Amino acid sequence: MTPVIEQIQFGFDFGEQPPLAVVRQRLLAAYGPQRDSRRHTPPEQFVKALISAETFDSESEKAFRALREHFRPLDRLGQSTAQEVLPHLATVTHPERKAEQLVRSVARIIAERGRFELSFLAAWPVDAAMAKLKQYDGIGPKCAAAILSFSALRRRIFVVDRHIKRFGIRFGLLSEDAGFEKAHQQMMRLIPPAWDADDLYELHWLMKRFGQEVCTNQRPPCERCGLADLCAFGQARQPAKGNDTKPRRRG
């Protein structure tokens, strides 16, 4: 049975260019290229992605460095216990749960492959690689995509995090009920076919930075946003012409 492709109705006219091409051009003008020649190995990115959920990048980076320093090689994670891993996850959210997930998942990969390695995913179709990664405890669609995209595997897949999901919903690129799985599917359908893995990597970091600095969760400065003309959310928050736009004092 052919799956139904949900159609997203864009609130604004992006012209003849694909919507994401317009967004990317604007963000490149603001932030410049976001390319990276150095990448983590797939096992390193697996660990980093798993522990980073719902955690600030700076804090998950501290935990990742602590794990990489203590567990050399990273295969040792699968031969350890959650109690041994836990002290190194002090800076991340839900450390107890993540310690258990990390030990179980690395141990399972070692049982399957003989060691903690994921290089075999380079030859798999992206969808199959995503499905395989999501079988491991603690790895959802966002983490699986990050492992494939951000690591040395450099697979052509787009990573949707909470900042990009918020951006996509506000700009009408994603349906308002989109969870991470659905958001990933919808965004991938909007990616121009000619874009390669590095283009998708760059778009992620451009949109994420914009989501962190401008299109924030609370009180986004829509009046100063360079993309407000493309955003129904931003347009709705603009004061009507002729109205008093001076800030009001709170009573």
Side-chain angles (χ1 to χ4, degrees), residues 118-212:
L118 297 166
S119 59
F120 66 96
L121 295 176
W124 286 34
V126 170
D127 288 347
M130 280 283 288
K132 178 62 176 175
L133 287 170
K134 288 189 290 184
Q135 293 177 2
Y136 298 116
D137 195 11
I139 303 298
K142 173 198 163 188
C143 289
I147 295 164
L148 295 173
S149 174
F150 297 165
S151 75
L153 290 171
R154 294 177 179 270
R155 301 306 306 272
R156 186 184 182 276
I157 191 165
F158 188 70
V159 182
V160 178
D161 66 5
R162 59 193 173 95
H163 301 290
I164 292 172
K165 187 159 78 78
R166 179 174 64 249
F167 177 108
I169 291 172
R170 287 177 175 175
F171 278 73
L173 302 173
L174 302 174
S175 56
E176 292 195 7
D177 64 341
F180 284 109
E181 187 81 46
K182 189 174 184 179
H184 166 76
Q185 295 169 356
Q186 291 178 344
M187 287 295 287
M188 285 302 297
R189 291 200 291 267
L190 295 176
I191 300 293
W195 287 10
D196 62 16
D198 287 335
D199 293 323
L200 273 62
Y201 175 91
E202 180 172 68
L203 181 65
H204 168 88
W205 292 108
L206 287 168
M207 292 179 71
K208 177 170 183 171
R209 182 172 175 183
F210 183 77
Q212 290 174 322

Side-chain angles (χ1 to χ4, degrees), residues 18-31:
L20 287 181
V22 177
V23 169
R24 182 185 178 201
Q25 287 174 355
R26 299 272 191 98
L27 295 179
L28 275 172
Y31 298 130

